[in-house]
Amino acid sequence: MDPAQRTVYLDHAATTPMVPAAVEAMTEHLFEVGNPSSLHASGRYARRVVEESRETIAQALGCRPGEVVFTSGGTESDNLAIKGIHWSRAAELGPRPRLITSSVEHHAVLDPVSWLEAGGQAEVRLVGVDSSCRVDLDQLRELVAERPVSLISVMWANNEVGTIQPIDEIVAIAAPHGIPVHTDAVQAVGAVPVDFATSGVDALTLTGHKLGGPFGVGALIVRREVGVTPLVHGGGQERDIRSGTIDTPAIAGFAAAVELAVKEQAAYAARVGALRDDLVRRVIEAVPDAHLHGGALDPLGEFRLPGNAHLGFPGCEGDSLLMLLDANGIECSTGSACSAGVPQPSHVLLAMGCDPDQARHSLRFSLGHTSTAADVDAVVEAIVPAVERARAAKAPR
Ligand SMILES: Cc1ncc(COP(=O)(O)O)c(C=O)c1O
């Protein structure tokens, strides 16, 4: 059975279904042969598909085609930006320059940053956030003034609580010091307006499977003037920054998805944002002590991704609630990661000032392009019995 038919899928921030345009663009090329690096006609045809896809993405995201470096997805693009730019800058700045990121990044940023620190290659500073998850710009100003900085990496929008960061202000702080800025825009592209050139950032990460494209393909958009030391060496593909035979069908599907997501962004944000507002309002009506995280600052407005509803349910363990809803066919997520079978509170919620208990009683519903009013109705119907059972399971006996 098609899982999408029997489930209420509200985990679009984890991955979202492919759009038909992307499936068509990808499958069209699956039976074709031709390595885009080959000189014969089949190779030249594959190269044309890749270069047209690059142009499509550049057009949609306001960059030059030569700035698009195809990768295997968000994790690789983040690693390439962090390590590649840091290494290149360290060659100019001297040993162990400062590397700044925020405390609420995805692990695809936090882990390469800590790896550089553990190896003695970087002095890492994490900028804190307020209770809405917005980065502390005063702290960032102090950190850039103290000593040479290789790179600032702050995500465009947070994957857990959906908060949109003030990227333009971060760029304004970095620019006078000549510090490159990277942003992980994995959750932002297609959900909010994203334009590379006008944003002023030097490097931007995106991935196919979060915006209606295939898994295993993404891009790092990076200004040509910014030095990037490659992580993968080989055939010299992608400006010698990212070697490896290029996946023509996946790139064609990715480009079709980016084009559509950007074209439909405004309509998507209006429709999905209204569904999300309805979900939050009705869940809080049904469970009056439930609350929206990141709510101190215009909770449902311009600083939050349209599809994100991150709710706290006091007295519940988020993971029990998740399993109870799953048993009713409703799929969502918690921000907690499991370590040795024990759920660990989300680093994002802790950084926002929640205590570990508050951080563990949370659920993320993330809506997307296939979400409907019936999905919201299903959550509203299931939430009260699920919360009652989760509370009973947690209450001391
Ligand atoms: C903000 C953010 N960055 C990076 C990633 C990793 O992307 P990928 O799954 O394409 O490796 C994710 C995926 O969850 C994400 O949400």
Side-chain angles (χ1 to χ4, degrees):
M1 200 204 296
D2 172 5
Q5 283 176 359
R6 63 183 158 78
T7 57
V8 172
Y9 184 76
L10 292 171
D11 200 13
H12 290 265
T15 195
T16 196
M18 278 180 76
V19 292
V23 175
E24 278 159 29
M26 185 167 176
T27 48
E28 189 190 326
H29 299 293
L30 280 172
F31 285 111
E32 286 159 5
V33 71
N35 183 324
S37 300
S38 297
L39 295 179
H40 47 61
S42 299
R44 291 198 306 277
Y45 174 72
R47 169 61 60 190
R48 207 176 77 219
V49 172
V50 169
E51 294 315 320
E52 283 172 5
S53 301
R54 205 187 299 281
E55 278 165 31
T56 301
I57 291 172
Q59 179 82 29
L61 295 176
C63 65
R64 284 176 283 170
E67 293 172 326
V68 178
V69 175
F70 289 117
T71 67
S72 65
T75 302
E76 186 189 337
S77 296
D78 283 343
N79 270 264
L80 183 57
I82 300 290
K83 296 176 194 161
I85 298 175
H86 179 78
W87 282 334
S88 169
R89 292 267 296 158
E92 298 162 32
L93 298 175
R96 218 169 153 262
R98 177 169 284 183
L99 174 49
I100 301 175
T101 187
S102 86
S103 50
V104 294
E105 297 297 308
H106 190 274
H107 280 286
V109 166
L110 286 178
D111 288 18
V113 164
S114 349
W115 179 82
L116 287 169
E117 185 179 41
Q121 301 185 60
E123 184 218 47
V124 171
R125 288 289 179 273
L126 299 183
V127 192
V129 295
D130 63 15
S131 60
S132 313
C133 194
R134 297 264 287 181
V135 295
D136 180 343
L137 296 173
D138 289 331
Q139 190 192 1
L140 181 62
R141 272 184 208 99
E142 281 167 28
L143 289 173
V144 298
E146 283 164 7
R147 46 165 303 195
V149 175
S150 63
L151 174 70
I152 299 173
S153 180
V154 176
M155 67 206 318
W156 196 297
N158 183 266
N159 47 303
E160 288 188 33
V161 296
T163 302
I164 296 164
Q165 298 295 353
I167 295 298
D168 48 348
E169 292 178 68
I170 292 165
V171 168
I173 291 170
H177 301 269
I179 304 169
V181 175
H182 162 250
T183 187
D184 175 341
V186 158
Q187 297 287 341
V189 175
V192 292
V194 172
D195 186 279
F196 182 75
T198 53
S199 74
V201 299
D202 298 279
L204 180 147
T205 290
L206 70 154
T207 190
H209 74 103
K210 308 275 191 187
L211 46 77
F215 286 108
V217 63
L220 180 69
I221 300 179
V222 55
R223 288 202 310 114
R224 292 193 77 104
E225 299 74 18
V226 175
V228 184
T229 305
L231 311 189
V232 179
H233 298 87
Q237 290 90 345
E238 297 301 282
R239 290 164 42 190
D240 223 357
I241 293 176
R242 199 271 188 175
S243 285
T245 299
I246 296 166
D247 187 342
T248 309
I251 285 171
F254 175 42
V258 172
E259 184 177 36
L260 190 69
V262 170
K263 193 169 128 221
E264 297 195 340
Q265 181 273 320
Y268 165 93
R271 188 184 79 79
V272 170
L275 286 177
R276 185 275 317 276
D277 289 0
D278 195 37
L279 182 147
V280 171
R281 190 181 47 78
R282 289 168 64 195
V283 166
I284 293 178
E285 256 167 40
V287 185
D289 60 348
H291 52 269
L292 191 64
H293 281 129
L297 186 89
D298 193 16
L300 302 180
E302 60 179 311
F303 299 114
R304 186 185 284 272
L305 289 174
N308 177 284
H310 196 285
L311 290 154
F313 296 91
C316 297
E317 201 61 67
D319 290 287
S320 329
L321 207 41
L322 182 148
M323 297 318 295
L324 286 160
L325 290 174
D326 186 44
N328 282 292
I330 296 169
E331 297 180 332
C332 60
S333 85
T334 64
S336 59
C338 242
S339 172
V342 182
Q344 301 296 315
S346 137
H347 68 283
V348 174
L349 294 178
L350 295 180
M352 288 164 61
C354 292
D355 65 34
D357 199 48
Q358 291 168 330
R360 266 197 294 265
H361 70 215
S362 303
L363 272 194
R364 177 188 70 184
F365 298 99
S366 50
L367 291 77
H369 66 96
T370 54
S371 298
T372 62
D375 294 342
V376 175
D377 293 344
V379 174
V380 174
E381 198 183 312
I383 197 72
V384 172
V387 166
E388 281 168 1
R389 284 188 62 188
R391 282 185 178 151
K394 203 183 170 211
R397 285 167 208 276

